[in-house]
Amino acid sequence: MKRENFNSKFGVLAAAAGSAIGLGNIWKFPYITGKNGGAAFILVYIFCIILIGTPVMISELVIGRKSQSNSAGAFKVLKPKSKWYLSGYLAVFTSFVILSFYSIIAGWVCAYLSRSVTGKLLTVVPDKLGSYFTSLAGSTYEVLFWNLIVIFLTAFIVIAGIQKGIEKYTKILMPLLLVTLIILMFRSVTLEGASKGLEFLFKPDFSKLTAGSVLEALGHAFYSLSLGMGIIITYGSYMNKEENLVSLSFQVITADTVIALMAGVVIFPAVFAFGFEPQSGPSLIFITLPAVFQSIPFGAFFESIFFLLVGIAAITSTISLLEVSVSFLTEEFKMERKKATIILAAGVLLLSVPSTLSFGVLSDVSVFGLSIFDLFDFIASYIFLPIGGIAVCLFVGWAWNSEDLINEITSDGAYPFKGYKVYRFIIKYIAPVAIMFIFLYSTGILKL
């Protein structure tokens, strides 16, 4: 059976950008920017994403396209009779675990979207929004229902395949995401007092930067681009030789960064205009912003548009997370796509149950001081992801034939890569060390 590939350049970009653009851009990026002082942190983040993110993304795309295989099979093709395929298995497992708790957050977003559309969210007294969110998160059956909806939508798209599923829907969802962002940006910057938010976002204050800020920027650059979890390798395997992988990497990274900055332009002017704290953490979306929407004309409309935006970003990421495991089962175990997707979707739903219950009946249960939800997040995001990223760097930089590498990057000379020597130096020496620092810092081994 012939392996499916993406059908158009825009489809490739939409799918790859969709995998990178997710809750990390619209939820996490704004609040860690607020926590680390705004514009100065953004400059460090952009530097990290160019220095580390770009070479690792190019490497993962190259591994995928050269092998034309899933993230585990890729290493078997490129380095047979070696143990490198184990890093591919780790990537599959990591993406599966991440999907199990990521879908819960996406479910919260869907619940808020539903309550925004019906106007219920707008009626909650601002000082009760914190307890309102806590009540939702602890409402087991409702959260499981919305989690089921997220997984169903994800599976529906993935079952349809590469061209009729992932490519088709990301080509619709990504432009829709951009349009909703532009609408919200216009509303936000026209609020009275919005200029303070723009100043916070774009006027650097380097006195607020710390060594921890730099490592957090580096870590978010790595996580935001979906690196280390098999997504980019898998999507790379669906790309044709005609694609310029270096150019595509820069396009995806540019799109990812621009969307994150646009989300900041949506959030910070509104937050400052109504006197809220930009450092309000993960609660920024579920507690602070609903209070902001209550204070502006046509608040219900803009609130609904906002949660639609966040929901789209979440779904484009859940699609890519599930596809990693689906491609693994269909190719390594010769399983039919529909069957593999249904089995994996059911598995994700089952694995998400303990994390869901950790906000309710299992809220008193902790492992190493972490709730079940936080434990899954910690293991997947702070241990497995960096290990997977380091493995990619070591494989491309040290284990793989350099002639095959440059031939694949340049599409056999069709697209000359003048920065190859710099890229090669970074992927061999700089990137693995930098990712190791992320690992040490995020796990608490390195104290700053």
Side-chain angles (χ1 to χ4, degrees), residues 19 40 52 60 100 102 144 181 187 201 258 278 287 315 327 330 347 373 383 421 437:
S19 72
I52 305 300
E60 293 201 4
S100 75
Y102 193 98
L144 283 175
L181 259 179
R187 171 68 272 192
L201 195 59
V258 168
I287 299 172
I315 291 295
S327 67
T330 55
F373 180 97
I383 298 178
K421 289 184 178 178
F437 272 108

Side-chain angles (χ1 to χ4, degrees), residues 130-348:
S131 57
Y132 185 80
F133 173 67
T134 303
S135 174
L136 168 68
S139 177
T140 303
Y141 294 110
E142 183 176 4
V143 173
L144 283 175
F145 169 77
W146 287 112
N147 189 21
L148 177 63
I149 295 298
V150 169
I151 293 171
F152 173 80
L153 287 173
T154 304
F156 174 79
I157 293 170
V158 170
I159 282 173
I162 305 307
Q163 293 180 12
K164 294 181 180 179
I166 295 172
E167 182 173 359
K168 176 183 175 181
Y169 287 99
T170 51
K171 283 167 72 173
I172 297 169
L173 291 172
M174 293 311 293
L176 183 58
L177 182 146
L178 188 61
V179 169
T180 55
L181 259 179
I182 291 170
I183 293 170
L184 288 167
M185 281 175 63
F186 179 77
R187 171 68 272 192
S188 187
V189 298
T190 54
L191 292 170
E192 187 177 345
S195 59
K196 292 181 181 178
L198 293 174
E199 183 178 321
F200 174 81
L201 195 59
F202 294 115
K203 185 179 179 181
D205 180 1
F206 292 100
S207 67
K208 294 184 179 179
L209 275 183
T210 64
S213 302
V214 174
L215 285 175
E216 190 156 16
L218 185 59
H220 186 67
F222 188 78
Y223 184 88
S224 176
L225 294 174
S226 302
L227 302 173
M229 58 183 87
I231 292 174
I232 304 302
I233 292 176
T234 302
Y235 277 10
S237 74
Y238 301 136
M239 293 178 187
N240 298 311
K241 274 283 189 183
E242 291 74 27
E243 294 296 335
N244 184 335
L245 297 185
V246 175
S247 176
L248 177 66
S249 297
F250 278 109
Q251 289 169 9
V252 171
I253 286 168
T254 299
D256 180 74
T257 306
V258 168
I259 294 295
L261 290 174
M262 289 173 74
V265 173
V266 169
I267 291 169
F268 289 118
V271 167
F272 275 87
F274 293 98
F276 291 99
E277 286 295 321
Q279 302 94 340
S280 52
S283 62
L284 195 64
I285 279 184
F286 296 108
I287 299 172
T288 305
L289 286 175
V292 169
F293 287 120
Q294 290 184 11
S295 307
I296 63 176
F298 305 105
F301 170 75
F302 288 109
E303 186 172 66
S304 299
I305 291 292
F306 177 77
F307 283 108
L308 174 64
L309 161 71
V310 183
I312 291 170
I315 291 295
T316 57
S317 293
T318 58
I319 292 167
S320 57
L321 285 164
L322 183 58
E323 179 60 24
V324 174
S325 298
V326 169
S327 67
F328 172 72
L329 282 191
T330 55
E331 292 176 12
E332 297 299 305
F333 297 94
K334 310 304 177 188
M335 194 178 290
E336 191 261 333
R337 172 173 279 269
K338 184 176 180 180
K339 181 180 179 181
T341 305
I342 292 172
I343 289 172
L344 289 164
V348 168

Side-chain angles (χ1 to χ4, degrees), residues 412-433:
D412 293 325
Y415 305 106
F417 184 22
K418 293 180 180 178
Y420 176 72
K421 289 184 178 178
V422 175
Y423 156 80
R424 182 87 171 154
F425 179 80
I426 290 173
I427 212 68
K428 288 183 74 171
Y429 303 105
I430 306 296
V433 172

Side-chain angles (χ1 to χ4, degrees), residues 56-75:
V56 179
M57 175 166 278
I58 292 171
S59 299
E60 293 201 4
L61 286 172
V62 167
I63 289 171
R65 191 175 70 174
K66 177 65 177 177
S67 65
Q68 293 289 290
S69 185
N70 64 86
S71 60
F75 293 95

